[in-house]
Amino acid sequence: MHTKNSQPEVFEPTDLYQIREKMYVATDCIIFGFHEGKLKLLVFERQVEPLKGSWSLVGSFVRLDEDLELAGQRVLEEATGLKEVFMQQLKTYGKQDRDPGFRCISVAQYALIRVEDYIDKLEKHYGAHWFEIDDLPELVLDHDQMVQDALEQLRHNARHRPIGFELLPEKFTIPQLQNLYEAIYQKPLDARNFRKKVLSLNVLEKLEEKDKSGSKRGAFLYKFNKENYLQLLKAGYNFEIF
């Protein structure tokens, strides 16, 4: 029976291997956002040596008492205040000389967030900076390679799954959706063919509201219908966008 003054147990694993050599395990987060028609990356000024003050992805060492996936979620929340956003493990980076601080492997994870919901808070309270994908500063260590690998994975996923909806506001127009895919793939898409294709997927719900910011006539707003998507996915439907 616990008393009022009892303390939670501290996780202290027993090392049964007793290997004298050691290394650190870290996780680094590649955080993508879509804002003002541009795909952007969230970076930070590195707070520790070596290379303190350089532009960096946000990361942390994995704690002994947490799973790798939870470590990534913790890093994301500590750096941005965000919870429950799309996050996926990318790959492991383990060159022996990748980190001048000490031997360290890093498991990269990438996240997608809706910038409109958080841009002021991130920049004012967390010291984060958004850079357009085609105008990034040089990043520390092997973080540039992590970003390129994450972009490749994002493009692969976006072609076969409606992953892009994680980057858009809850309500959006078809042109806004097309702008997103053009930003991800860095190439123009035919508007008529794109509209026909995305509407044929049966995962968009047309609303009565219109966005009139671009013209008096305006464009109808849509929402992503996740329930339809999950049902079609279970049935083996091919969601290839183009």
Side-chain angles (χ1 to χ4, degrees), residues 32 39 110 112 133-134 147-161 163 181-187 241-242:
F32 292 121
L39 184 66
Y110 80 94
L112 306 177
I133 286 297
D134 55 1
V147 173
Q148 291 306 311
D149 292 341
L151 271 173
E152 183 177 336
Q153 185 63 41
L154 172 61
R155 288 164 180 161
H156 173 77
N157 286 346
R159 184 179 293 273
H160 300 283
R161 296 168 51 197
I163 195 173
Y181 276 87
E182 289 177 336
I184 290 175
Y185 291 100
Q186 296 290 291
K187 67 178 183 180
I241 300 295
F242 59 88

Side-chain angles (χ1 to χ4, degrees), residues 55-73:
W55 291 116
S56 171
L57 298 174
V58 61
S60 172
F61 295 120
V62 179
R63 296 170 179 169
L64 291 177
D65 62 349
E66 65 183 351
D67 296 339
L68 181 61
E69 180 180 340
L70 294 179
Q73 294 173 5

Side-chain angles (χ1 to χ4, degrees), residues 128-168:
H129 298 266
W130 287 104
F131 286 93
E132 295 179 13
I133 286 297
D134 55 1
D135 190 28
L136 294 176
E138 183 177 355
L139 304 179
V140 299
L141 310 179
D142 48 6
H143 290 188
D144 288 316
Q145 185 62 53
M146 291 182 183
V147 173
Q148 291 306 311
D149 292 341
L151 271 173
E152 183 177 336
Q153 185 63 41
L154 172 61
R155 288 164 180 161
H156 173 77
N157 286 346
R159 184 179 293 273
H160 300 283
R161 296 168 51 197
I163 195 173
F165 297 109
E166 301 288 348
L167 293 163
L168 289 170

Side-chain angles (χ1 to χ4, degrees), residues 173-183 189-191 194-195:
T173 66
I174 298 296
Q176 288 172 340
L177 180 61
Q178 179 177 333
N179 287 342
L180 169 62
Y181 276 87
E182 289 177 336
L189 301 173
D190 181 81
F194 181 84
R195 182 183 186 86

Side-chain angles (χ1 to χ4, degrees), residues 214-227:
S215 66
K216 291 184 178 180
R217 183 180 179 184
F220 279 105
L221 291 166
Y222 290 79
K223 290 177 64 176
F224 175 55
N225 190 318
K226 188 174 182 179
E227 183 177 346

